[in-house]
Amino acid sequence: MQRTEWQLEYADGSAVEVALDLGELRVGKKAEPIQEVEFELKHGKTAHLFKLALALQADISLHIENISKAQRGYAYYRPQAPAIFKARAVELSPKMSADQAFQQIASECLRQLQDNQDMVLHGDDPEGVHQMRIALRRLYVAIKLFKCETKDMQNELDWLSAQLGNARDWDVLLHTTLPAALNQLEPHAGYDLLQQRATAAHKRAYARLRQALNSQRYQRLLLSLGALLTSFSHSPDTKVLKLANRRLQQSHRKLQQFAEKLGESNPKQLHKLRIEAKYLRYAAEFFAHVYHAKNRPDKGENKTRRFVDRLARLQAVLGLLNDINVTETMIHQLASRQANPKISEAASLVLEWNAMRSAQPLKQTHKTWQDFIETQIFWD
C-alpha cells in the first residue's frame, strides 16, 4: 500500500486530512486492487467532508465503501453471506433540538439503506430490496417532517424509489402472488408461460436496479444526503417535542380527511389513505421515544405501541389492496407482450382470481379504521 496525504485548511478554521491509498490486497494466488481516498475531519465542520467529496466526484468516479480494507481482507478467510438489516429505534430526548433530532433520524435511515445494498447487489434474498425501500420511505418522511426537501433532492429520491419499487413489485408478483393464485386455480397450459415472462421481467428489473446502485448518480445522492445531514439548520430554539406535536397532529388530521370517503372504496382515495397512514406511522415511530422520556416510561410506551400497532394493521390492509391493484397492472403488462392465446387465457384467469380476493380486505379496512380512530393519541 502506498499512501499520499494532503492537509487542507479552511477559512473558518476547519481542517481536513485527505489520504489516497493505492495498492493491492493479496490472499494466496488471489489479488484485487485497492484505490481508496479517505477524508478525515481533524476539527471543525463536518459539512466540509461531503462538499469536498461531491467536488471530487464531479471529476472522478467514486463509490462509497461501507467496509474497511481490513474487513475486505478478513472476508477472504471468513466469508460471510450478505445480511438483512431492519430499522432500529431512534432514542430522542424531549429537550433535543430539531436539528439534532433530524440528524439522528436521517442517519439511521441512511444506515439501513446502505447496510442492505450488499444483499441487493450480491445476494438473492428479496427482503434486501424490501428493506432498502423501507429505509428510503422512512428517509423521505423524515425530510418532509423537518421541511428540508428541495426539488432536486425530491427528484433524486423519486428516481431511486422507482428503481426499488419496480424490483419489489416483481418480487411480490413472482414469489407471493402468482404462487398463491396457481395453488388455488385449476391447471392451465398458459401458467408456465406466464411465469416465464414474469421471471424475465423480474431479472430485467433487478438488472436495472443494480445498475442504478452502481451508478455515479446514486453515489452523488448518498453524498448529497450526507451533506444535508451535516448542514441542515432549523430555527435554533425549536425543540423536537414542539415540532413532533405539530407534525403528528397535522398528519392525524389529514388521515381523517382522507378517510371521510372510505365508503366509496375508490382506489385513488385508498392509495392516498395508505400513503398518509404510512407517513403517520413512521413519524410516530421516529418521535415515540420523545414521549416515553417525557411521560412515565411504561405508560407512554404502552400508549405509543397501541397507536402504532393499530396504525400498522390499517396500513397492512391498505397495502394488500394496493398489491391487488398493482397485480392487475402487471398481469396486463405480461399478457400484452407478444400476444399468445395460452398466456391471454391464463392471464384472464389470474385476473379473475385477483379481483375476487379484494372483497375481504375491503371489509377489513372499515374495521381496522374504526379500531384505529378510537385509539387514544399519545402526543400532547
Side-chain angles (χ1 to χ4, degrees):
M1 186 70 61
Q2 183 180 41
R3 166 166 286 204
T4 307
E5 293 181 355
W6 295 266
Q7 305 298 326
L8 306 184
E9 295 182 357
Y10 290 82
D12 64 1
S14 299
V16 173
E17 179 181 274
V18 180
L20 175 65
D21 290 337
L22 298 176
E24 193 174 50
L25 172 64
R26 299 173 186 166
V27 182
K29 295 182 179 180
K30 297 180 181 179
E32 65 175 78
I34 290 178
Q35 300 172 323
E36 188 172 275
V37 61
E38 296 179 0
F39 304 119
E40 181 182 347
L41 182 69
K42 292 301 184 178
H43 55 81
K45 296 181 179 179
T46 310
H48 289 304
L49 296 178
F50 292 97
K51 290 178 180 178
L52 180 60
L54 283 165
L56 193 59
Q57 198 229 9
D59 296 318
I60 303 170
S61 294
L62 297 177
H63 290 265
I64 297 174
E65 179 58 80
N66 292 324
I67 62 172
S68 68
K69 290 184 285 292
Q71 288 173 306
R72 287 168 67 183
Y74 284 125
Y76 277 90
Y77 289 95
R78 297 188 182 91
Q80 291 185 339
I84 297 297
F85 298 88
K86 296 189 175 182
R88 298 186 301 218
V90 182
E91 296 189 2
L92 306 179
S93 162
K95 297 180 180 179
M96 189 177 283
S97 71
D99 291 7
Q100 292 170 319
F102 173 71
Q103 288 167 359
Q104 286 201 27
I105 291 169
S107 294
E108 167 54 24
C109 296
L110 271 176
R111 178 208 62 81
Q112 186 189 7
L113 184 74
Q114 290 183 264
D115 282 355
N116 285 288
Q117 283 175 197
D118 201 31
M119 177 60 77
V120 177
L121 289 171
H122 309 294
D124 56 8
D125 189 338
E127 187 64 18
V129 169
H130 186 44
Q131 290 303 319
M132 278 196 77
R133 197 178 183 202
I134 289 173
L136 189 66
R137 285 172 169 173
R138 286 166 59 86
L139 180 61
Y140 184 75
V141 169
I143 289 172
K144 294 283 284 184
L145 282 170
F146 289 86
K147 305 292 185 186
C148 55
E149 71 269 31
T150 64
K151 188 174 181 180
D152 287 344
M153 179 68 72
Q154 185 171 342
N155 287 340
E156 294 305 286
L157 293 174
D158 288 345
W159 164 74
L160 181 58
S161 179
Q163 305 298 321
L164 289 166
N166 191 37
R168 176 61 181 168
D169 287 343
W170 287 111
D171 273 335
V172 173
L173 182 72
L174 190 62
H175 300 306
T176 304
T177 308
L178 272 182
L182 303 188
N183 186 52
Q184 296 180 33
L185 294 169
E186 294 294 324
H188 188 282
Y191 291 150
D192 286 344
L193 297 173
L194 195 65
Q195 280 190 303
Q196 287 172 17
R197 286 193 178 182
T199 301
H202 178 264
K203 287 181 179 178
R204 288 193 295 270
Y206 263 76
R208 287 192 294 269
L209 174 58
R210 285 167 177 154
Q211 184 179 25
L213 295 183
N214 282 315
S215 72
Q216 287 300 292
R217 183 176 183 178
Y218 176 61
Q219 301 303 317
R220 188 163 54 252
L221 173 58
L222 292 178
L223 289 172
S224 298
L225 288 167
L228 175 65
L229 258 67
T230 55
S231 61
F232 169 71
S233 180
H234 217 282
S235 300
D237 59 341
T238 300
K239 299 299 181 184
V240 65
L241 180 61
K242 181 180 178 181
L243 184 139
N245 286 335
R246 185 164 64 250
R247 295 288 187 265
L248 289 168
Q249 189 60 34
Q250 288 170 346
S251 180
H252 191 259
R253 191 181 301 116
K254 193 173 180 180
L255 190 65
Q256 288 177 294
Q257 291 172 350
F258 286 140
E260 289 175 358
K261 298 182 180 180
L262 191 58
E264 299 175 10
S265 300
N266 183 299
K268 288 185 178 180
Q269 204 65 26
L270 289 172
H271 178 70
K272 289 180 180 179
L273 185 65
R274 181 179 68 87
I275 295 299
E276 193 60 37
K278 189 177 299 180
Y279 182 93
L280 179 57
R281 177 189 171 186
Y282 290 156
E285 289 175 343
F286 289 151
F287 295 133
H289 203 269
V290 172
Y291 298 93
H292 297 176
K294 178 176 178 292
N295 302 314
R296 222 177 62 212
D298 56 340
K299 182 180 178 182
E301 189 172 352
N302 288 337
K303 284 176 67 177
T304 308
R305 187 183 297 117
R306 189 182 305 113
F307 183 89
V308 172
D309 285 349
R310 292 190 178 182
L311 186 53
R313 286 199 289 269
L314 173 66
Q315 185 185 336
V317 175
L318 292 169
L320 178 56
L321 287 171
N322 184 68
D323 287 344
I324 292 169
N325 289 330
V326 171
T327 295
E328 181 179 355
T329 301
M330 298 175 82
I331 294 296
H332 278 300
Q333 184 180 333
L334 291 175
S336 65
R337 290 177 182 165
Q338 299 177 348
N340 180 308
K342 288 183 179 180
I343 292 180
S344 296
E345 289 176 10
S348 295
L349 293 170
V350 173
L351 287 170
E352 287 179 17
W353 171 86
N354 187 57
M356 288 176 62
R357 70 187 183 120
S358 65
Q360 186 61 30
L362 276 173
K363 290 181 181 178
Q364 290 179 336
T365 301
H366 296 277
K367 175 65 168 61
T368 52
W369 170 255
Q370 197 58 41
D371 289 342
F372 167 71
I373 205 62
E374 291 174 359
T375 307
Q376 184 181 2
I377 61 173
F378 61 88
W379 58 89
D380 292 337

